[in-house]
Amino acid sequence: MTQAYRPSRRSVLLSGAALSLSGLVPLRALAADPIKTAGIYTVPVEQQWVSRIHQAAEAAKAAGRIDYTYTENVANTDYPRVMREYCESGVKLIVGEIFGAEAEAREVAAEYPDVAFLLGSSFMPDAAANPNLAVFDNYIQDASYLSGIIAGAMTKSGNIGMVGGFPIPEVNRLMHAFMAGVRETRADAKFQVSFIGSWFDPPKANETAIAMIDAGADVLYAERFGVSDAAKERGVLAIGNVIDTQADYPETVVASALWHFEPTLNAALDAIEGGAFKADNYGVYSFMKAGGCSLAPLGSFEGKVPAEVMATVAAKEAAIKDGSFTVEINDEEPKSS
């Protein structure tokens, strides 16, 4: 993930053949049967990020648009093999995440030009090498910014702890957006920032969060599972990310920035059904104006967040949706202040 992806000569030759007609992948023009779809995930499907993909896929299955199966807990080193097995079984759409297997996954995609790949990635699509591979990520900086406005209003110490998985661009931008939101209501806020080096290690996230609380944090940004448990244990507040966990932490999680994968998946299915799926950046479907993210309802914290703060949130949300305000995108690694 720290190294730029370079397609192999073989992948370029294979993809060149696929592009010889129109540059589009004629995967499913005008077909009515459900699209045979496979999800390949490196973590359990209950993990925050993957759960949103899985939920959207299950909804598409219930609607009759796809025939969906999945494999979870796939090691990065095993990812290409699982991709090939699904391709050989007749799957026409593969969804998943290739952050730890970028080059290898793109090699496989080049071998199967009649399969559509919709994959979470840190790199942009490459139409020359992989005309059948589109990328996405949870670019929910809009909702993260709004959750930060609330966090800034709820902190008493002005000390906020932030626990992330890895300092990759798509995580960094969410953290920066959250911090920018905090400064709207608490200009003098200080941040403790740490990354645990894992997408799913609740004990380590918990331990890191406890250390931040001991260092004065009274609001935690829970980018990973385990952080809200620490907040609950120590009686401080937390802001959720990707999913709404307030039902599990009714006195702890004030608000959450939610990711909705449905617009991303539906756009890909529409393209496949129209025979027009191609290399593209589907990350834009995670933006708030596309319906790809939102701020969770306050729930048990209704009335506990000052009304003037929620008015600010509502005004900023409207401005984001109508395009009069754009949340800054900063993919640089955030640092403690």
Side-chain angles (χ1 to χ4, degrees):
M1 305 249 331
T2 59
Q3 210 171 352
Y5 165 71
R6 293 180 176 83
S8 71
R9 179 175 179 274
R10 180 170 181 246
S11 66
V12 171
L13 291 173
L14 285 168
S15 60
L19 279 167
S20 60
L21 293 178
S22 66
L24 303 179
V25 183
L27 295 167
R28 187 187 160 77
L30 304 179
D33 294 334
I35 299 168
K36 193 171 182 181
T37 302
I40 308 176
Y41 311 120
T42 63
V43 293
V45 291
E46 65 263 28
Q47 187 259 12
Q48 292 153 286
W49 195 90
V50 162
S51 72
R52 307 308 287 181
I53 303 173
H54 181 64
Q55 178 177 301
E58 288 286 5
K61 177 181 178 180
R65 295 197 75 181
I66 65 174
D67 175 6
Y68 172 63
T69 187
Y70 68 93
T71 302
E72 59 186 342
N73 292 315
V74 177
N76 288 324
T77 53
D78 209 27
Y79 209 93
R81 179 190 63 80
V82 179
M83 290 175 70
R84 287 190 177 92
E85 287 184 354
Y86 274 126
C87 289
E88 293 293 336
S89 74
V91 162
K92 290 302 178 184
L93 170 64
I94 289 180
V95 296
E97 9 87 45
I98 57 171
F99 300 103
E102 289 279 355
E104 297 85 352
R106 291 175 188 246
E107 289 277 359
V108 175
E111 295 171 14
Y112 296 93
D114 292 331
V115 178
F117 295 85
L118 181 64
L119 301 172
S121 172
S122 290
F123 299 114
M124 288 296 100
D126 185 344
N130 295 111
N132 58 331
L133 191 156
V135 301
F136 69 88
D137 210 333
N138 65 321
Y139 294 144
I140 61 171
Q141 65 275 354
D142 299 327
S144 295
Y145 172 81
L146 299 180
S147 72
I149 294 175
I150 294 172
M154 298 301 285
T155 179
K156 295 178 180 178
S157 67
N159 187 327
I160 294 179
M162 306 181 68
V163 181
F166 292 92
I168 62 174
E170 43 272 66
V171 172
N172 297 342
R173 72 166 57 186
L174 304 189
M175 286 189 160
H176 279 294
F178 173 81
M179 294 162 80
V182 167
R183 294 187 184 105
E184 290 284 347
T185 46
R186 187 65 186 256
D188 64 342
K190 303 297 181 185
F191 300 92
Q192 300 179 59
V193 181
S194 185
F195 297 91
I196 63 171
S198 172
W199 293 128
F200 193 73
D201 191 344
K204 189 170 183 179
N206 183 291
E207 178 185 345
T208 302
I210 290 290
M212 290 179 172
I213 297 169
D214 289 342
D218 66 350
V219 174
L220 298 175
Y221 176 73
E223 201 268 330
R224 292 293 102 195
F225 275 159
V227 176
S228 294
D229 293 294
K232 179 181 178 180
E233 178 184 333
R234 293 298 186 89
V236 303
L237 301 177
I239 301 294
N241 179 58
V242 175
I243 63 175
D244 186 2
T245 58
Q246 194 185 76
D248 298 318
Y249 309 94
E251 304 303 319
T252 302
V253 175
V254 183
S256 297
L258 306 182
W259 183 31
H260 308 294
F261 189 69
E262 287 79 2
T264 303
L265 181 58
N266 288 334
L269 295 177
D270 290 343
I272 293 171
E273 289 170 348
F277 188 86
K278 62 180 181 179
D280 208 347
N281 177 17
Y282 277 68
V284 295
Y285 292 104
S286 290
F287 288 13
M288 184 168 281
K289 61 185 177 183
C293 67
S294 68
L295 190 66
L298 290 181
S300 58
F301 279 86
E302 191 74 46
K304 298 178 183 179
V305 180
E308 62 271 20
V309 173
M310 294 311 299
T312 297
V313 169
K316 289 290 188 180
E317 180 177 356
I320 290 169
K321 288 181 176 179
D322 68 23
S324 60
F325 175 74
T326 301
V327 175
E328 180 184 1
I329 292 176
N330 183 349
D331 289 345
E332 298 296 318
E333 182 176 342
K335 305 293 184 182
S336 297
S337 55

